[in-house]
Amino acid sequence: TLSFDVSAEKYQPENIRYGGLGRIESVPREGGGTRLWATANAGGTGESPEVFILFYYSDDNGETWSDAVMVNDYDTVFGRRNVRAQDHSLFYNEQTGKLWLLVTGSTGWYDGRSVTYLTMIDNPGTANVKDITWSEPRLLMDKHEVLTGVSNSRPALLSDGTIVIPLWNEHYVPAGFAE
């Protein structure tokens, strides 16, 4: 679940025992300039279902950073319990102005059934970060409705508008995905 409530004790820096897999993306800021969005896996004592993703931003080119402003934390994703945030990536679509968050989740450590879901911020450069809106998360599937697998790399935007998402799946490699 994506939430602006980062007040819980487990989200406070002094209580985080694990951190890793940071991502950063640059977006145009309303009124001029650039906003940097950064994410990081955090929580628990290692890679486990206790891991969540924290969001930070900088409006001064990384000189200073906000405290965590959002969290992606879940114990259930699309009906699956005991899910950990395995990998994630950020991608700014310059053509639509949306910031994508792709999160791969797996049951426990890895049960061979990783799925990747997508949610987007429609207004990532808005003047007031509290005005940000997220789309409902959706599973990435191809035309054959095959679940995607692991996504831990930034998507690529081709000149014709096609978005290519690098995915790893033991059994199948799907094609591009349209917004």
Side-chain angles (χ1 to χ4, degrees):
T1 303
L2 292 163
S3 172
F4 287 105
D5 183 6
V6 292
S7 62
E9 277 191 46
K10 71 178 184 176
Y11 304 139
Q12 304 312 307
E14 63 272 14
N15 297 321
I16 295 173
R17 301 289 175 249
Y18 169 79
L21 195 63
R23 300 287 190 239
I24 192 166
E25 189 65 87
S26 171
V27 304
R29 190 178 57 196
E30 187 177 296
T34 299
R35 172 168 293 143
L36 298 176
W37 279 103
T39 58
N41 284 10
T45 57
E47 290 195 41
S48 72
E50 296 174 343
V51 171
F52 44 84
I53 301 169
L54 292 171
F55 293 77
Y56 307 87
Y57 72 94
S58 172
D59 283 338
D60 60 10
N61 295 316
E63 293 290 323
T64 61
W65 290 90
S66 69
D67 290 332
V69 293
M70 288 179 286
V71 63
N72 181 336
D73 191 2
Y74 49 74
D75 64 358
T76 303
V77 177
F78 301 105
R80 295 176 60 195
R81 298 198 56 74
N82 192 31
V83 175
R84 76 178 174 102
Q86 180 178 341
D87 290 303
H88 71 279
S89 61
L90 288 173
F91 168 66
Y92 179 66
N93 185 335
E94 297 166 2
Q95 294 180 349
T96 65
K98 295 180 181 182
L99 181 66
W100 290 29
L101 170 67
L102 294 112
V103 178
T104 296
S106 64
T107 303
W109 170 251
Y110 174 66
D111 67 353
R113 299 180 299 151
S114 292
V115 296
T116 298
Y117 72 89
L118 163 70
T119 186
M120 292 179 261
I121 300 176
D122 292 329
N123 52 349
T126 188
N128 185 350
V129 173
K130 294 288 185 181
D131 292 335
I132 285 174
T133 56
W134 288 92
S135 67
E136 286 295 316
R138 63 179 175 174
L139 282 173
L140 295 186
M141 296 184 192
D142 70 0
K143 63 185 176 184
H144 304 289
E145 297 187 6
V146 174
L147 297 180
T148 57
V150 177
S151 172
N152 64 1
S153 300
R154 186 180 183 281
L157 178 62
L158 304 183
S159 60
D160 68 358
T162 299
I163 296 166
V164 178
I165 302 172
L167 300 166
W168 174 81
N169 182 311
E170 295 176 55
H171 312 290
Y172 183 78
V173 179
F177 179 78
E179 196 175 274

